[in-house]
Amino acid sequence: MDIKNYLLSKKEMIERFLGSYLPMEDEYPHEIYKSMRYSLFAGGKRLRPILSLASYETIEDDSSSILPIACAIELIHTYSLIHDDLPPIDNDNLRRGKPTNHKVFGEAIAILTGDALLTIAFSMMTADDCIKKFNHKLLLQVIREISIAAGDRGMVGGQVVDIISEGKEIDFKTLEYIHKNKTGALIKASVRVGGILANAGDEELRRMTIYGENVGLAFQITDDILDIEGTKEDLGKDTGMDSAKEKNTYPGLIGIKESKKKVKELIESAIEAIMIFKERADPLKEIAQSIIRRKN
């Protein structure tokens, strides 16, 4: 399949929906809507919502019906990036080649922008279209899935352990916890959500979960590698880590060569898990393989 066209068409569909759903910049209070749109349309890959759509399509044909839920995950992801970039956390100046949100709008508006995006995500998932389309029990299951992935037992928990580990040497178990939760939890949930909404059976959902776990971990290990090997132009952010932080990465603990080998193994396991879906899983397979080729 032509994965480039697939990703482009899905990205355009996602961005049309997001653009039509969010208030325009001229609505009052202007500053919050300018800030939200600044970060949300800063050039992201839309990996998480695309994974939801592709997962849904392994069982059902038309994934447009789950756009509000897939896009809600992107709002949560964007909020996390805005907060991650703040001075008390990562103190980053660039994101996707542009000044970070707090550099443009100030720290207070950046915090409130993240809060707004997170809150809007849940109103988006409970919009009339979703309530009419999906069984309420199924919708509640999906909302719970995303809530756990984004919260203290997922993304936020991983962020906390990452912060308290700074400047310390950590063991492999702690590093894996950070990666599987800070980045992996929302990626895994994105895949599972598509399956749940498509009424996947237990075995189908189990295999989607394996795929999501492996892809999520592979994605973060690749991030670690790119932070060392990538260029500022490719990544759209400042490159290079301080020595203490670099130790608390896969390359820091097992080296670049072994980290790349680990990514390859994870991707192979992810693809093997979804073979039962045959050609309907082609987009998921191609997305997984593209992680190995990532430049940003």
Side-chain angles (χ1 to χ4, degrees):
M1 70 171 296
D2 187 341
I3 189 62
K4 286 186 179 179
N5 278 338
Y6 178 88
L7 294 176
L8 181 60
S9 67
K10 296 302 183 190
K11 182 177 179 179
E12 288 174 349
M13 186 166 69
I14 289 160
E15 295 195 343
R16 279 196 302 271
F17 181 86
L18 288 170
S20 65
Y21 191 93
L22 289 184
M24 299 302 291
E25 293 181 3
D26 58 359
E27 289 198 37
Y28 188 81
H30 315 303
E31 198 74 1
I32 190 70
Y33 298 129
K34 286 180 182 177
S35 175
M36 287 162 62
R37 284 180 169 270
Y38 177 84
S39 289
L40 193 59
F41 297 104
K45 291 180 282 293
R46 312 304 189 197
L47 172 68
R48 290 151 190 82
I50 289 173
L51 282 170
S52 291
L53 300 177
S55 176
Y56 184 85
E57 288 168 0
T58 61
I59 297 171
E60 296 288 346
D61 292 330
D62 183 11
S63 61
S64 62
S65 62
I66 73 162
L67 264 177
I69 295 158
C71 288
I73 298 172
E74 185 70 6
L75 295 186
I76 294 170
H77 173 58
T78 303
Y79 120 75
S80 75
L81 299 181
I82 294 171
H83 282 192
D84 267 358
D85 290 337
L86 288 165
I89 305 183
D90 286 343
N91 194 25
D92 283 326
N93 296 318
L94 288 175
R95 168 72 64 181
R96 296 167 179 162
K98 298 171 66 175
T100 46
N101 189 288
H102 68 275
K103 289 292 181 181
V104 177
F105 298 96
E107 292 177 30
I109 296 297
I111 292 167
L112 292 170
T113 299
D115 294 343
L117 288 169
L118 175 61
T119 309
I120 291 170
F122 289 93
S123 67
M124 188 181 280
M125 287 187 280
T126 53
D128 287 345
D129 286 350
C130 293
I131 291 172
K132 290 174 184 175
K133 166 72 178 176
F134 297 106
N135 174 282
H136 290 184
K137 188 175 180 181
L138 207 64
L139 198 54
L140 284 171
Q141 184 183 349
V142 162
I143 292 170
R144 176 175 169 78
E145 183 90 25
I146 294 170
S147 300
I148 292 171
D152 59 294
R153 301 199 178 197
M155 182 177 71
V156 171
Q159 289 169 321
V160 168
V161 177
D162 191 27
I163 289 167
I164 64 177
S165 299
E166 283 185 10
K168 303 174 185 175
E169 289 194 19
I170 60 174
D171 58 21
F172 196 80
K173 184 178 179 181
T174 305
L175 176 63
E176 193 169 55
Y177 177 90
I178 293 169
H179 279 18
K180 284 187 174 181
N181 287 278
K182 183 178 177 180
T183 301
L186 203 57
I187 288 176
K188 180 177 76 173
S190 300
V191 177
R192 281 178 53 84
V193 159
I196 292 168
L197 291 171
N199 283 298
D202 290 345
E203 178 61 15
E204 290 171 324
L205 193 58
R206 185 185 75 83
R207 287 173 175 269
M208 289 179 184
T209 303
I210 294 169
Y211 171 91
E213 286 175 344
N214 281 281
V215 164
L217 185 53
F219 190 88
Q220 183 55 54
I221 297 172
T222 303
D223 258 4
D224 287 349
I225 295 167
L226 290 174
D227 278 339
I228 296 168
E229 292 190 337
T231 66
K232 183 176 180 178
E233 290 71 28
D234 283 337
L235 300 178
K237 63 180 180 179
D238 294 325
T239 56
M241 298 181 183
D242 59 63
S243 57
K245 193 168 184 179
E246 187 174 324
K247 288 178 183 176
N248 293 335
T249 65
Y250 267 76
L253 287 181
I254 64 175
I256 291 278
K257 184 178 178 181
E258 286 301 311
S259 295
K260 289 180 178 179
K261 182 181 175 184
K262 178 67 173 176
V263 169
K264 189 171 181 291
E265 290 170 354
L266 288 166
I267 296 305
E268 287 172 353
S269 296
I271 291 172
E272 183 181 353
I274 56 171
M275 292 299 286
I276 60 164
F277 299 108
K278 300 180 181 177
E279 68 276 1
R280 294 188 72 108
D282 284 351
L284 288 177
K285 294 175 193 172
E286 292 291 338
I287 291 168
Q289 289 171 339
S290 72
I291 291 172
I292 298 174
R293 303 188 297 268
R294 275 184 67 201
K295 299 292 183 185
N296 57 38

